[in-house]
């Protein structure tokens, strides 16, 4: 956010964090320093129009009732950040919403074997907590309670020192990835194919922590909680609290992590602690993790009921209104793949081989086979498919295609999982929220 000085020129560029810090140190002095505000004698309103204009520029809107705004009181708009300022460190992402912040990555920017921070999609359900923005983990604890023999309260040091540390490359994908292609359209962020990534994560196995707590035989589900903030600013309102069956929680690849690609978790991705539950919708991988509640029933937290992250229990015609009682929780994500090179719309030589490549993955584990087509699905050639770094990491695939003559072509990519389930050519299983679209990915090529 740009904040203009009051000496006829722009003096400095300040972030919301700068504004908050300045107000905290000297509330009334902050107004003079930041906005050139000199209060009216009754300590309300502005005596200088320039100060009011600067405040309006910082807020992004005029303040019609500024005459009633007390001196020394920071506008609440500055009190909580959406995280939008952190987008400067992202590379080419497409912002779908800014409150809360959601952004996806074009397919051609997902070519890295391990997804870097700059190219990992952003899925926010609320506002980024101040602890994450400030990268302040002092006093942070993770509570494990519920159907356990001994409740635990673990610091970051406890996690790092008392349990085996694990580093794995693990897929993370939003349940709504591909929503934009449903007809009729489904509600929610209109993700195309870029709400996915495969960074390397470092942390501990959730099952090791649960074993230390002593999971009771009555345990059937986990419930996850974080400290992200509702867009209303209500600190007490739970933004999202999802969970997974206890069997999934105990899988060796289900992690509590504090690092991504060898660095502390970034603010946008859950600092200081988050879950990574590969193969399941990304919503289960709670960011800003503060509590894991072991339940004796299916978790009923925020966004576990209704149509949230649920699919119809039976096939429905597109546009059908499905009763809530007929919706089932989405668990395992379907098999999927993307083409990461060349970028769609690229020019390639006619009559010569061109390498196409990408990634494939499956919520159930490894991918069995990968095929591509250059003739709109009339024939398919097998691609070379590399094994994953570890289970639930995506797999690199490559193939050479040769356009026989000049003209327009499409590369269609199709993955098949270990259960012989392959990607469909069109959107599968319409549902009200547009989840689980694993239709084949297509890119355009122009042969010259």
């Amino acid at each position: 956010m740009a904040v203009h000085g009051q000496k006829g020129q722009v003096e400095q560029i300040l972030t919301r964090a700068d504004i908050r810090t300045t107000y905290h140190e000297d509330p009334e002095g902050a107004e003079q320093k930041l906005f050139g505000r000199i209060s009216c004698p009754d300590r309300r309103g502005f005596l200088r129009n320039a100060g009011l204009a600067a405040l309006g520029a910082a807020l992004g809107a005029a303040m019609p009732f500024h005459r009633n705004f007390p001196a020394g009181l920071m506008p609440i708009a500055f009190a909580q950040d959406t995280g939008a300022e952190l987008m400067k460190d992202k590379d080419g992402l497409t912002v779908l919403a800014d409150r809360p912040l959601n952004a996806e990555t074009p397919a051609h920017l997902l070519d890295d074997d391990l997804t870097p921070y700059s190219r990992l999609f952003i899925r926010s359900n609320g506002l980024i907590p101040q602890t994450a923005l400030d990268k302040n983990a002092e006093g942070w604890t993770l509570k494990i309670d519920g159907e356990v023999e001994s409740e635990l309260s673990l610091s970051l040091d406890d996690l790092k020192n008392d349990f085996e540390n694990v580093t794995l490359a693990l897929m993370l994908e939003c349940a709504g990835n591909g929503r934009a292609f449903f007809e009729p359209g489904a509600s929610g962020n209109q993700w195309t194919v870029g709400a996915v990534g495969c960074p390397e994560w470092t942390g501990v196995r959730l099952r090791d922590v649960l074993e230390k707590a002593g999971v009771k035989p009555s345990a059937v589900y986990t419930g996850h909680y974080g400290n992200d903030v509702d867009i209303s600013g209500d600190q007490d309102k739970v933004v999202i609290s999802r969970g997974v069956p206890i069997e999934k929680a105990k899988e060796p690849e289900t992690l509590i992590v504090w690092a991504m690609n060898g660095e502390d978790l970034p603010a946008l991705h859950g600092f200081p602690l988050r879950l990574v539950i590969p193969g399941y919708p990304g919503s289960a991988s709670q960011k800003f993790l503060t509590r894991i509640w072991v339940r004796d029933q299916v978790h009923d937290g925020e966004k576990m009921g209704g149509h949230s992250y649920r699919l119809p229990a039976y096939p429905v015609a597109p546009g059908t209104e499905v009763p809530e009682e007929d919706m089932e929780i989405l668990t395992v994500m379907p098999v999927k793949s993307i083409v990461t090179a060349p970028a769609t719309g690229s020019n390639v030589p006619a009559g010569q081989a061109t390498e196409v490549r990408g990634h494939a993955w499956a919520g159930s584990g490894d991918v069995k086979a990968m095929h591509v087509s250059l003739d709109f699905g009339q024939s398919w050639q097998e691609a070379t498919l590399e094994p994953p770094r570890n289970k639930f990491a995506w797999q690199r695939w490559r193939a050479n295609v040769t356009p026989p003559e000049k003209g327009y072509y499409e590369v269609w990519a199709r993955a098949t999982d270990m259960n012989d389930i392959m990607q469909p050519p069109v959107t599968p299983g319409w549902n009200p929220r547009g989840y689980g679209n694993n239709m084949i990915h297509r890119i355009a090529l122009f042969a010259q």
Side-chain angles (χ1 to χ4, degrees):
M1 176 178 293
V3 177
H4 296 260
Q6 301 306 308
K7 297 180 180 179
Q9 60 183 354
V10 175
E11 294 182 340
Q12 55 187 330
I13 303 298
L14 297 176
T15 66
R16 287 175 184 262
D18 294 326
I19 294 173
R20 287 190 294 268
T21 298
T22 305
Y23 264 95
H24 177 72
E25 293 174 348
D26 182 9
E28 294 192 29
E31 296 176 336
Q32 170 66 26
K33 184 183 299 183
L34 296 171
F35 308 117
R37 172 176 180 165
I38 299 177
S39 301
C40 293
D42 60 359
R43 294 172 51 80
R44 292 179 181 273
F46 284 76
L47 286 178
R48 288 184 178 177
N49 289 334
L52 179 60
L55 177 61
L59 288 169
M63 185 185 283
F65 296 111
H66 69 89
R67 184 67 178 77
N68 302 323
F69 195 74
L73 182 66
M74 180 176 66
I76 192 64
F78 299 141
Q80 189 62 48
D81 206 323
T82 64
E85 292 171 356
L86 300 178
M87 284 297 294
K88 66 181 184 298
D89 297 320
K90 292 292 188 176
D91 176 18
L93 271 64
T94 302
V95 175
L96 302 184
D98 61 0
R99 190 175 179 87
L101 183 61
N102 290 278
E104 70 170 338
T105 312
H108 69 278
L109 295 181
L110 288 170
D111 194 48
D112 298 273
D113 290 333
L114 291 174
T115 308
Y117 166 72
S118 63
R119 294 181 174 179
L120 182 61
F121 76 101
I122 301 167
R123 173 64 174 108
S124 303
N125 284 277
L127 304 178
I128 312 302
Q130 193 58 49
T131 48
L133 292 168
D134 295 341
K135 299 301 288 288
N136 179 15
E138 184 178 354
W140 190 277
T141 58
L142 171 62
K143 182 179 182 180
I144 311 293
D145 65 346
E147 299 301 303
V148 295
E149 300 293 343
S150 302
E151 291 188 7
L152 300 179
S153 181
L154 302 170
S155 67
L156 286 174
D157 286 341
D158 292 334
L159 288 167
K160 294 177 181 180
N161 298 326
D162 296 350
F163 302 91
E164 179 186 359
N165 288 196
V166 179
T167 297
L168 295 172
L170 299 171
M171 287 294 305
L172 199 64
E173 182 180 14
C174 178
N177 198 24
R179 178 181 290 132
F181 303 112
F182 276 99
E183 291 291 344
S187 61
N189 291 302
Q190 297 302 297
W191 307 102
T192 59
V193 298
V196 65
C198 186
E200 190 174 68
W201 310 92
T202 298
V204 298
R205 297 183 182 90
L206 174 56
R207 74 176 184 188
D208 292 346
V209 175
L210 294 177
E211 285 176 4
K212 183 171 183 177
V215 176
K216 295 180 179 179
S218 55
V220 298
Y221 229 84
T222 59
H224 314 146
Y225 293 85
N227 76 330
D228 39 349
V229 181
D230 186 76
I231 58 174
S232 68
D234 185 348
Q235 298 283 338
D236 297 324
K237 187 174 182 178
V238 176
V239 175
I240 184 171
S241 176
R242 292 183 51 75
V244 298
I246 198 70
E247 294 79 16
K248 182 64 179 179
K250 290 182 177 180
E251 287 186 357
E253 297 83 16
T254 296
L255 304 182
I256 303 171
V257 305
W258 55 78
M260 186 178 86
N261 296 333
E263 304 287 342
D264 288 346
L265 281 174
L268 289 173
H269 300 296
F271 179 91
L273 203 65
R274 71 172 296 163
L275 286 165
V276 176
I277 301 180
Y280 269 46
S283 56
S285 296
Q286 186 80 43
K287 296 191 291 187
F288 320 112
L289 185 67
T290 58
R291 181 191 181 196
I292 297 175
W293 182 17
V294 181
R295 308 292 306 274
D296 61 0
Q297 64 179 59
V298 174
H299 187 49
D300 54 0
E302 184 66 26
K303 297 193 177 179
M304 282 294 293
H307 289 83
S308 295
Y309 302 101
R310 288 175 174 252
L311 302 176
Y314 45 83
V316 300
T320 300
E321 291 188 15
V322 185
E324 290 186 3
E325 60 269 21
D326 290 344
M327 301 293 287
E328 295 180 341
I329 297 171
L330 171 60
T331 55
V332 178
M333 293 287 284
V335 63
K336 203 165 186 179
S337 63
I338 53 172
V339 183
T340 58
T344 189
S346 293
N347 294 324
V348 299
Q352 297 181 33
T354 293
E355 183 188 71
V356 293
R357 63 179 182 268
H359 304 292
W361 62 94
S364 57
D366 297 349
V367 174
K368 179 180 180 180
M370 187 72 206
H371 293 81
V372 297
S373 175
L374 196 62
D375 56 9
F376 307 111
Q378 294 304 300
S379 64
W380 294 86
Q381 70 179 78
E382 188 167 7
T384 300
L385 181 65
E386 297 179 8
R389 289 175 177 242
N390 48 255
K391 188 177 181 180
F392 294 119
W394 61 18
Q395 296 170 242
R396 168 71 71 186
W397 62 265
R398 289 181 170 85
N400 289 323
V401 298
T402 302
E405 58 185 278
K406 293 181 179 180
Y408 173 80
Y409 297 86
E410 290 186 1
V411 175
W412 293 11
R414 184 185 72 191
T416 303
D417 70 14
M418 289 297 181
N419 298 314
D420 291 322
I421 298 173
M422 65 178 60
Q423 292 179 258
V426 296
T427 52
W430 187 92
N431 59 90
R433 295 291 176 86
Y435 297 131
N437 183 6
N438 69 330
M439 64 186 290
I440 59 175
H441 185 211
R442 302 182 292 146
I443 66 162
L445 293 181
F446 294 88
Q448 306 293 315

